[in-house]
């Protein structure tokens, strides 16, 4: 509510407030002198207008908030798309598995001969191995492509004696392929303990070796080729002597597949 404040240092002029006036006449209201007015307004009715620099800053903050919201929506859409693609890929793989029932090829050792190992000398050896590997693809509608960059190694007591590679070839469905591998090593130093142990095993006609194969493959389903997978084959082979021809006393192979 507005209040009028009158100055108190100026007395009213003579005759302004006199009670002498004619009948029917009223005295005129005196004009208040110039003064200072104080207006009191409640705080909840005060509206502030920001200065231009603050308004510009507020506009920038609003734009940043909108940009963040847009980026968040785009990221959520991206994650949803990836999730949907993964689900669809999983469903497709499950359908293919139910239709074709794929199984990994079976591997076995058909031949294993050794040469170039002299146990009566302390000089380094350069062994040679001729290995025959049999691969059976029992799948009815799935072929196997054997790719480059494979590796084949023969070990004795964790000592790598020789190495080589698998040939590049395609194995169709319901097929048995026999692969002959020529493996060689150079300047392999055997300890005296290993030589003594091998002589003892030669006398018993039980020389154990371990064959390891690492083969990149691609699977062909119909007209579609998959990505590259790795087939790991490990065979324990025991022969009766270190000269050709040798006889396989025992053999056992296992394998697994690295899908990625």
């Amino acid at each position: 509510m507005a209040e009028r404040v009158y100055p108190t240092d100026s007395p009213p002029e003579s005759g302004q407030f006199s009670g002498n006036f004619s009948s029917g006449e009223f005295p005129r209201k005196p004009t208040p002198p110039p003064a200072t007015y104080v207006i009191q307004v409640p705080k909840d009715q005060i509206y502030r207008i920001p200065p231009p620099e603050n308004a510009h800053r507020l506009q920038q903050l609003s734009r940043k908030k909108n940009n963040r919201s847009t980026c968040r929506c785009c990221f959520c859409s991206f994650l949803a798309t990836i999730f949907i693609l993964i689900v669809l890929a999983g469903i497709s793989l499950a359908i293919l598995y139910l239709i074709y029932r794929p199984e990994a090829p079976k591997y076995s050792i058909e031949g294993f001969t050794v040469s170039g190992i002299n146990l009566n000398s302390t000089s380094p050896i350069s062994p040679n191995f001729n290995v025959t590997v049999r691969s059976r693809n029992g799948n009815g509608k799935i072929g196997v492509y054997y790719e480059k960059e494979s590796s084949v190694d023969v070990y004795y007591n964790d000592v790598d004696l020789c190495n080589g590679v698998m040939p590049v070839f395609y194995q169709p469905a319901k097929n048995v392929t026999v692969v002959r591998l020529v493996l060689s090593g150079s300047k392999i130093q055997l300890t005296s303990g290993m030589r003594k142990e091998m002589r003892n095993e030669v006398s018993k006609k039980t020389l154990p070796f371990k064959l390891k194969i690492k083969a990149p493959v691609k699977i062909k389903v119909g007209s579609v080729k998959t990505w590259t997978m790795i087939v790991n084959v490990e065979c324990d082979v025991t022969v009766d002597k270190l000269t050709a021809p040798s006889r396989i006393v025992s053999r056992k192979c296992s394998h697994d597949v690295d899908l990625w």
Side-chain angles (χ1 to χ4, degrees), residues 72-119:
R72 190 179 295 113
C73 292
C74 293
F75 183 69
C76 292
S77 300
F78 175 75
L79 290 180
T81 303
I82 295 298
F83 177 75
I84 292 172
L85 291 176
I86 291 174
V87 171
L88 292 177
I91 294 174
S92 301
L93 290 176
I95 293 173
L96 289 175
Y97 178 81
L98 293 175
I99 293 174
Y100 294 101
R101 297 287 182 176
E103 60 180 29
K106 302 294 190 300
Y107 302 92
S108 61
I109 303 298
E110 300 298 316
F112 196 95
T113 60
V114 189
S115 62
I117 299 179
N118 185 1
L119 299 179

Side-chain angles (χ1 to χ4, degrees), residues 22-98:
S22 303
S23 177
E25 294 181 0
F26 293 94
R28 295 177 58 187
K29 254 185 173 182
T31 302
T36 301
Y37 296 87
V38 178
I39 302 175
Q40 295 182 352
V41 180
K43 289 184 178 181
D44 57 352
Q45 296 183 10
I46 298 177
Y47 301 94
R48 297 180 179 274
I49 300 177
E53 60 273 11
N54 289 353
H56 180 66
R57 185 179 178 186
L58 179 62
Q59 188 176 9
Q60 286 183 336
L61 292 175
S62 300
R63 288 178 180 175
K64 287 182 179 180
K65 188 177 294 185
N66 292 334
N67 291 338
R68 289 176 183 173
S69 301
T70 304
C71 292
R72 190 179 295 113
C73 292
C74 293
F75 183 69
C76 292
S77 300
F78 175 75
L79 290 180
T81 303
I82 295 298
F83 177 75
I84 292 172
L85 291 176
I86 291 174
V87 171
L88 292 177
I91 294 174
S92 301
L93 290 176
I95 293 173
L96 289 175
Y97 178 81
L98 293 175

Side-chain angles (χ1 to χ4, degrees), residues 248-259:
I248 297 177
V249 178
S250 65
R251 55 196 148 189
K252 182 181 179 180
C253 292
S254 61
H255 65 274
D256 61 69
V257 180
D258 298 332
L259 296 178

Side-chain angles (χ1 to χ4, degrees), residues 4-7 10-13 15-17 27-35 37:
R4 293 183 180 179
V5 180
Y6 298 95
S10 299
E13 294 180 5
Q16 279 186 341
F17 299 96
R28 295 177 58 187
K29 254 185 173 182
T31 302
Y37 296 87

Side-chain angles (χ1 to χ4, degrees), residues 147-167:
E147 304 288 322
K148 296 179 180 180
E149 300 182 358
S150 63
S151 63
V152 183
D153 296 88
V154 175
Y155 294 84
Y156 176 81
N157 282 358
D158 296 329
V159 177
D160 194 350
L161 298 178
C162 62
N163 53 71
V165 296
M166 289 278 289

